[in-house]
Amino acid sequence: MAKFEGYKDIYVFVEQRNGEIANVGYELISEARKLVASIPQMGFQVVGVLLGHNVTDKANDVIAHGADKVIVADHELLEGYSTQFYADTLTQIIETYKPDSFLTGATVLGRDLAPRVAARLNAGLTADATKIEIDQEKVADGEALLLVTRPTFGGNLFGTIVCPDTRPQMATIRPNVFSMDPVDTTRTGEVVAFTPDFKDTDAKVVVKEVIAKVVEGIDITKCDILVGAGRGAEDCLDMVEAVAEELGGAMCASRAVVDDGFASKDIQVGQTGKTVRPSLYIACGISGACQHVAGMEKSDMIIAINRDPQAEIFSIANMGFIGDVKEILPLLKEEIIAAKKA
Ligand SMILES: Cc1cc2nc3c(=O)[nH]c(=O)nc-3n(C[C@H](O)[C@H](O)[C@H](O)COP(=O)(O)OP(=O)(O)OC[C@H]3O[C@@H](n4cnc5c(N)ncnc54)[C@H](O)[C@@H]3O)c2cc1C
């Protein structure tokens, strides 16, 4: 008998707010598709889990993004996020369907929800993962053991964590770590309605008012071109910003620039900032510390400008320029604009 009889499939929590699905759910479904494709002998499916009120019609979008099946808990108590009702529902879904693994975005909501559910189920959870693989050696024993990698010791090391003794294997993954597959509206799948059984419908915490944070400026996680300013560009931030705008992108910054008070935390890239994956990232006067690199290394093309030829940033850059940002950035901008026109 297999060690975890009855547990199967990779489940993904599909986070929505006001009916709008967060991209991270689709990114995780795309990654889960790759994982199940790597273990065809297990016959696993990718299952989306959607909680909310009046959200059932969104299930088809989840299928179009790669899910084979979507479990929908559509209930008025799930209208807005409630730790209590969401954790109750998710725990019941997991107890009923027995997923082999369960992935959640490491968003504010996901970071609140996933550990509570894991604790209730006595399941192992790896937080803030950046890479997920399946241990192919265990597949012959009928096990789809996840190898979940995450930064540790302040981002100086990466640790790979396994949860060999319990199911489901749970993980939270930061937005933008995985890419999203193209939508296929011809895909078909199963939609399963789940009715949560709330033992106690009295909310322990009542949310009286939700004040949405007004994000000023551009959301750097959605930009196709980013020009990153590091401490080495602090005396020419106007230029960096102007070049970013001329290229149709936006400026972002290293933590040094944020800590020095020259940029807002909203545009910080890295382990304690945002994860970005633009098609072009120009790193200006950025040393390439691992905590910064963790937030931008998945960019399609990285160009680095640094006056120190030994700077770490050159080891991950596709193209590097050794010299002063103030001299090189304007020339580089002209080259990029000319290349775009050609
Ligand atoms: C727990 C933890 C979390 C962290 N999280 C983050 C994070 O999310 N994001 C982040 O960015 N950092 C983070 N850090 C900080 C990180 O370790 C680095 O200190 C930081 O990234 C350094 O920023 P920097 O490269 O801009 O500055 P510096 O390390 O000071 O590097 C400046 C670079 O600019 C070059 N330079 C100087 N002048 C010029 C010039 N005129 N022209 C060209 N090049 C020039 C220098 O050669 C140097 O390489 C974190 C650290 C810890 C411990």
Side-chain angles (χ1 to χ4, degrees):
M1 197 203 265
K3 195 169 165 193
F4 298 108
E5 194 69 26
Y7 287 87
K8 63 182 174 62
D9 301 331
I10 299 182
Y11 281 46
V12 173
F13 178 70
V14 181
E15 178 178 333
Q16 62 79 29
R17 288 211 180 188
N18 302 320
E20 198 177 319
I21 292 176
N23 278 353
V24 66
Y26 294 148
E27 291 160 14
L28 297 186
I29 284 176
S30 302
E31 191 63 18
R33 283 242 68 83
K34 291 183 194 124
L35 292 173
V36 299
S38 74
I39 45 164
Q41 58 275 56
M42 302 285 291
F44 275 15
Q45 289 194 322
V46 176
V47 181
V49 177
L50 183 60
L51 271 55
H53 186 40
N54 296 327
V55 292
T56 303
D57 60 332
K58 297 283 169 196
N60 286 332
D61 292 347
V62 181
I63 291 166
H65 279 84
D68 298 303
K69 183 159 97 177
V70 187
I71 297 172
V72 187
D74 201 319
H75 194 286
E76 57 188 9
L77 287 176
L78 301 173
E79 171 134 31
Y81 177 63
S82 143
T83 304
Q84 176 187 346
F85 299 132
Y86 270 56
D88 282 355
T89 307
L90 213 50
T91 307
Q92 289 167 22
I93 288 175
I94 292 174
E95 284 172 340
T96 306
Y97 295 100
K98 297 191 179 342
D100 191 70
S101 46
F102 197 102
L103 311 179
T104 308
T107 58
V108 173
L109 189 159
R111 286 170 199 236
D112 182 66
L113 180 62
R116 284 168 205 274
V117 173
R120 289 185 188 191
L121 296 164
N122 201 22
L125 172 108
T126 308
D128 246 354
T130 53
K131 187 174 161 195
I132 302 183
E133 292 167 303
I134 290 179
D135 185 344
Q136 293 295 330
E137 286 181 14
K138 296 276 181 197
V139 178
D141 305 332
E143 251 190 83
L145 184 67
L146 293 189
L147 306 173
V148 186
T149 302
R150 55 151 295 157
T152 185
F153 289 108
N156 291 308
L157 289 175
F158 285 88
T160 298
I161 294 169
V162 290
C163 296
D165 300 327
T166 53
R167 290 293 187 270
Q169 308 164 84
M170 296 183 70
T172 60
I173 298 97
R174 297 180 71 163
N176 268 328
V177 167
F178 299 131
S179 56
M180 190 161 71
D181 287 342
V183 181
D184 178 359
T185 50
T186 63
R187 278 182 61 85
T188 53
E190 194 187 346
V191 180
V192 179
F194 182 86
T195 308
D197 177 16
F198 296 119
K199 299 272 176 293
D200 184 358
T201 52
D202 292 337
K204 301 277 182 288
V205 175
V206 178
V207 178
K208 296 230 166 173
E209 193 184 3
V210 177
I211 301 171
K213 183 183 171 199
V214 181
V215 180
E216 283 171 13
I218 296 166
D219 178 357
I220 58 165
T221 63
K222 302 216 159 64
C223 290
D224 196 41
I225 296 181
L226 284 173
V227 186
R231 191 171 268 145
E234 278 181 350
D235 60 349
C236 60
L237 290 177
D238 287 352
M239 178 200 281
V240 174
E241 196 162 20
V243 168
E245 265 176 39
E246 282 174 76
L247 295 176
M251 182 178 91
C252 59
S254 72
R255 178 160 152 182
V257 177
V258 174
D259 287 350
D260 291 346
F262 292 110
S264 130
K265 173 91 179 150
D266 287 339
I267 63 164
Q268 181 188 315
V269 169
Q271 192 191 318
T272 44
K274 291 184 174 152
T275 305
V276 296
R277 46 186 315 147
S279 56
L280 174 62
Y281 188 98
I282 306 177
C284 303
I286 293 177
S287 57
C290 57
Q291 296 92 351
H292 184 82
V293 168
M296 45 68 79
E297 66 190 330
K298 300 262 172 78
S299 306
D300 292 342
M301 164 72 118
I302 298 170
I303 302 179
I305 307 172
N306 198 302
R307 65 181 180 194
D308 175 6
Q310 305 300 328
E312 271 301 311
I313 194 75
F314 289 127
S315 65
I316 58 142
N318 303 89
M319 196 185 283
F321 295 91
I322 299 164
D324 194 315
V325 176
K326 291 184 282 306
E327 287 166 23
I328 293 173
L329 188 59
L331 300 174
L332 181 63
K333 178 198 75 183
E334 296 306 328
E335 286 292 326
I336 293 172
I337 290 173
K340 272 184 163 182
K341 281 186 192 150

